[in-house]
Amino acid sequence: AQSVTQPDIHITVSEGASLELRCNYSYGATPYLFWYVQSPGQGLQLLLKYFSGDTLVQGIKGFEAEFKRSQSSFNLRKPSVHWSDAAEYFCAVGAYGNKLVFGAGTILRVKS
Amino acid sequence: KAGVTQTPRYLIKTRGQQVTLSCSPISGHRSVSWYQQTPGQGLQFLFEYFSETQRNKGNFPGRFSGRQFSNSRSEMNVSTLELGDSALYLCASSFPRDNKDEQYFGPGTRLTVT
C-alpha cells in the first residue's frame, strides 16, 4: 500500500534562513508526488508536483523539491523563508483512481 | 477562472442527524474527490467521482456517501452523525481522471457534531 512519511511534526526556522522539509514515500510503481500548503482555516494549495523527467522541480512561492528514487524521498526546500511561509505543509503521493495519500504534515513556524 | 467552492463553510449538527455538503469544481473539471481532515487521522480519502460514477472509495463506513451530477457538482452525505465525524471536509477537482493530474482543493466545510 502507498504511504507517505513526514518525520518532522514541527519545524521552526528564522526568517531569511533556508528550509528543508522531509518526505519519504512508499509506492510500488513510478510515484507521482506533490507538496501542498495549508494556512489555518484554509484548503490546500498545490506548491509543486513531480510526474517524471527532471528530478528537481520548481514550484510557486520560491519552493523547489528534489525527487530521489534511491532514497524514496521528495524533500521540499526554500533558500530563504519569509514570515508568510508559516503554515502546514503536506507531502502526497498520487495513487490509483485520483486518490492522494498524504503524510501527516509538518507545521512550519517562522521566527523573526 | 473560479476555484473550487464548497458550501456551507461551517456546520453544527447534533449526533444522530444527517448532513449534506456541496462541492462545485473548477469549470471543465470532471473529477471530484472528497477528503476528511482531523487532528488525529490527518487527511484521509473518502471517495472520488468521475462522470457521475464513483470510481474509488476509501475506508469509511457506509454512513458516508456521495454523488455527482451531470454538471460535475458533487455532494457528500453523512447519515447518523457521530462525534468523531467532526472534521474539515475538503473536496478537490481535477481534469481528466488520472492519478497524475494535479488536484485543486476548495476551502473546506468545517463540520462540528455535538
Side-chain angles (χ1 to χ4, degrees), chain B residues 27-91:
Chain B
S27 178
H29 284 192
R30 298 169 62 191
S31 169
V32 173
S33 299
W34 288 88
Y35 293 83
Q36 182 196 63
Q37 185 177 25
T38 61
Q41 300 298 315
L43 281 153
Q44 293 186 290
F45 174 78
L46 281 156
F47 30 64
E48 184 232 3
Y49 285 86
F50 177 80
S51 293
E52 302 178 63
T53 301
Q54 185 181 88
R55 183 175 183 270
N56 200 1
K57 189 176 189 304
N59 295 323
F60 279 83
R63 300 185 296 107
F64 291 82
S65 63
R67 59 177 175 169
Q68 187 180 33
F69 302 94
S70 58
N71 62 357
S72 295
R73 190 177 70 85
S74 177
E75 290 181 346
M76 68 163 282
N77 183 274
V78 188
S79 63
T80 319
L81 283 166
E82 301 177 359
L83 294 179
D85 297 333
S86 295
L88 181 66
Y89 290 88
L90 296 162
C91 85

Side-chain angles (χ1 to χ4, degrees), chain B residues 84-100:
Chain B
D85 297 333
S86 295
L88 181 66
Y89 290 88
L90 296 162
C91 85
S93 75
S94 66
F95 173 86
R97 61 182 293 208
D98 189 316
N99 65 349
K100 67 179 179 181

Side-chain angles (χ1 to χ4, degrees), chain A residues 4-23:
Chain A
V4 176
T5 301
Q6 293 180 247
D8 303 306
I9 299 174
H10 297 98
I11 281 187
T12 300
V13 299
S14 298
E15 192 170 13
S18 64
L19 170 71
E20 183 170 29
L21 302 182
R22 296 183 290 165
C23 171

Side-chain angles (χ1 to χ4, degrees), chain A:
Chain A
Q2 309 88 2
S3 67
V4 176
T5 301
Q6 293 180 247
D8 303 306
I9 299 174
H10 297 98
I11 281 187
T12 300
V13 299
S14 298
E15 192 170 13
S18 64
L19 170 71
E20 183 170 29
L21 302 182
R22 296 183 290 165
C23 171
N24 292 97
Y25 67 89
S26 173
Y27 191 67
T30 301
Y32 302 129
L33 296 161
F34 307 84
W35 275 99
Y36 284 87
V37 61
Q38 185 179 35
S39 297
Q42 302 297 315
L44 301 173
Q45 182 182 23
L46 179 67
L47 286 175
L48 47 77
K49 60 186 184 289
Y50 171 79
F51 292 159
S52 64
D54 194 350
T55 56
L56 184 64
V57 293
Q58 303 296 322
I60 62 171
K61 303 184 180 185
F63 285 93
E64 66 178 27
E66 186 171 12
F67 170 63
K68 293 185 177 180
R69 185 185 299 274
S70 62
Q71 299 177 20
S72 298
S73 69
F74 188 56
N75 294 348
L76 182 72
R77 301 194 294 244
K78 186 169 185 178
S80 178
V81 170
H82 187 262
W83 64 265
S84 61
D85 293 324
E88 189 162 15
Y89 291 79
F90 294 92
C91 180
V93 62
Y96 174 77
N98 233 8
K99 169 184 175 180
L100 289 174
V101 176
F102 286 90
T106 298
I107 297 173
L108 172 64
R109 298 178 177 137
V110 180
K111 59 182 181 181
S112 55

